[in-house]
Amino acid sequence: MTGTVIKNTGSSYIVKTPTGNELPCRIKGNFRIKGIRTTNPVAVGDIVEVRPSESGDSFITAIEPRRNYIIRRASNLSKEAHIIAANIDAVCLIATLFHPTTSTTFIDRFLSTAEAYDVPATLVLNKADLCAGDEERSEYLDAVTYLYRSIGYDVIHTSAETGEGIDSLRDILSGKTTLLSGNSGVGKTSLINRLIPGIELRTAAISAVHDTGMHTTTFSEMFELPGNTGRIIDTPGVKGFGTVDMDKNEVSHYFPEIFKLSHQCKYNNCSHTHEPGCAVRQAVDNHLIAASRYSSYLSILEDTGSNEKYRKPF
Ligand SMILES: Nc1nc2c(ncn2[C@@H]2O[C@H](COP(=O)(O)OP(=O)(O)O)[C@@H](O)[C@H]2O)c(=O)[nH]1
Ligand SMILES: [Mg+2]
Ligand SMILES: [Zn+2]
């Protein structure tokens, strides 16, 4: 029988079968991926073969080839990776411009990683209620929205408090498996509670005491949206959604508006930092590329070092 892994808690897994049963499973066999050492050989989102057992846990005996998978490394130097999720169609970054402040640099790092994984990304700006009626905040919200839409990203405004934008969010999630990410405090759990009435996940206000420990072990979990309209993967404790090895001259590929213009640079290996005849720097000067985007590009470029691969977990 095949099923989908919906939860991974250390050595045990929950597999949802086509009939909707949730089977506790363990692994039988060797599931190593070539080339990377992983802490979890089976991940949320994996489609697996299970051998049900009458007594006790069932066994996962095989994994179907993954379409993709998002990994996180324990540290920049660590060879061991944790698979956050597999077989995802899209990612959503939940961010707030106020309480807490999310920097555009953080947003840009997230979006460029999504580009590197080749997974479509949506930016969800939550706590829109905190901007309502405040001219300065509303202007900033509009400017950020305009910026990312002009690059081609979907941007929506939501409020888990008032319910604003929840329908738009539902539309975006419809018919796919989406990984939800975001810094803690942005309202990710509150939004999931809105999307799935009755689930009643604990929000930060209640679980704050629990979260004060530096490394509360948290595991990804997949939830079905009501009426089988889509699936979300919550990744508690993961700020961004993974790590990716970026080569220095690849970074510009992951900033669509920079990449588009780079074909007009005088040198085809232009790094857009100092070269004469650089169409990208020209566009920044002319405000056709946002200064904030360019500075995010430079900061990622810097992280790649001279020959080192960029492996920064967010
Ligand atoms: N004003 C306002 N507060 C919100 C909103 N969404 C969540 N919060 C509050 O922000 C805090 C963190 O929410 P939580 O869902 O736990 O955030 P998470 O850490 O991203 O899962 C809680 O006190 C929520 O009540 C929102 O849209 N507007
Ligand atoms: Mg939460
Ligand atoms: Zn250039």
Side-chain angles (χ1 to χ4, degrees):
M1 165 180 3
T2 60
T4 306
V5 176
I6 61 166
K7 196 171 182 177
N8 163 209
T9 53
S11 60
S12 88
Y13 300 85
I14 307 289
V15 175
K16 193 161 188 174
T17 66
T19 53
N21 282 341
E22 297 185 3
L23 290 180
C25 293
R26 291 179 181 279
I27 304 177
K28 200 157 215 172
N30 187 6
F31 297 107
R32 298 281 147 207
I33 313 173
K34 250 205 206 136
I36 58 163
R37 288 214 309 265
T38 57
T39 50
N40 55 335
V42 177
V44 169
D46 270 329
I47 299 166
V48 294
E49 190 67 38
V50 288
R51 192 195 308 143
S53 143
E54 299 278 300
S55 55
D57 285 357
S58 305
F59 284 104
I60 295 173
T61 55
I63 311 178
E64 282 194 10
R66 296 178 175 123
R67 277 190 293 123
N68 59 24
Y69 55 92
I70 308 293
I71 62 164
R72 179 179 52 161
R73 283 192 176 77
S75 73
N76 275 12
L77 298 173
S78 173
K79 285 209 174 67
E80 190 144 88
H82 180 81
I83 309 173
I84 297 171
N87 301 320
I88 62 165
D89 300 309
V91 291
C92 254
L93 176 62
I94 319 286
T96 50
L97 300 180
F98 307 96
H99 301 289
T101 307
T102 305
S103 69
T104 52
T105 312
F106 180 82
I107 295 173
D108 294 336
R109 282 175 182 269
F110 181 93
L111 294 175
S112 62
T113 307
E115 296 287 343
Y117 275 113
D118 203 17
V119 176
T122 296
L123 178 58
V124 175
L125 297 173
N126 189 40
K127 305 199 186 183
D129 57 291
L130 299 182
C131 296
D134 183 315
E135 201 175 327
E136 211 168 299
R137 284 184 176 188
S138 298
E139 262 172 31
Y140 183 55
L141 177 65
D142 288 344
V144 169
T145 304
Y146 177 79
L147 166 60
Y148 291 101
R149 281 187 185 156
S150 71
I151 298 163
Y153 294 107
D154 272 335
V155 183
I156 62 166
H157 300 173
T158 58
S159 168
E161 194 77 11
T162 66
E164 176 191 345
I166 304 298
D167 286 340
S168 312
L169 180 56
R170 229 177 243 125
D171 286 346
I172 278 163
L173 301 173
S174 170
K176 312 185 261 254
T177 300
T178 305
L179 188 74
L180 296 186
S181 313
N183 277 322
S184 74
V186 298
K188 195 152 59 90
T189 300
S190 306
L191 287 172
I192 296 173
N193 286 340
R194 278 272 185 184
L195 290 166
I196 311 175
I199 188 170
E200 283 165 39
L201 297 177
R202 286 185 308 165
T203 57
I206 302 161
S207 59
V209 184
H210 206 76
D211 286 340
T212 45
M214 270 291 282
H215 296 290
T216 338
T217 321
T218 43
F219 298 97
S220 310
E221 184 164 8
M222 182 187 280
F223 300 104
E224 198 112 12
L225 297 175
N228 241 327
T229 49
R231 303 188 292 184
I232 52 177
I233 298 175
D234 185 21
T235 54
V238 181
K239 289 175 170 180
F241 73 95
T243 46
V244 81
D245 293 340
M246 276 190 209
D247 203 76
K248 206 174 177 63
N249 48 33
E250 261 171 18
V251 178
S252 70
H253 296 33
Y254 307 132
F255 284 75
E257 78 281 37
I258 292 179
F259 185 62
K260 215 188 293 170
L261 266 183
S262 62
H263 303 293
Q264 295 171 30
C265 294
K266 181 169 174 192
Y267 301 107
N268 63 11
N269 62 348
C270 188
S271 70
H272 324 302
T273 54
H274 62 277
E275 296 86 346
C278 173
V280 171
R281 282 192 304 138
Q282 181 78 56
V284 175
D285 287 345
N286 295 337
H287 308 288
L288 297 170
I289 286 177
S292 64
R293 291 279 294 171
Y294 182 63
S295 101
S296 296
Y297 164 76
L298 292 181
S299 78
I300 294 177
L301 204 60
E302 213 159 89
D303 288 342
T304 61
S306 43
N307 288 307
E308 295 251 339
K309 297 260 193 183
Y310 166 64
R311 260 186 199 172
K312 198 172 169 66
F314 298 138

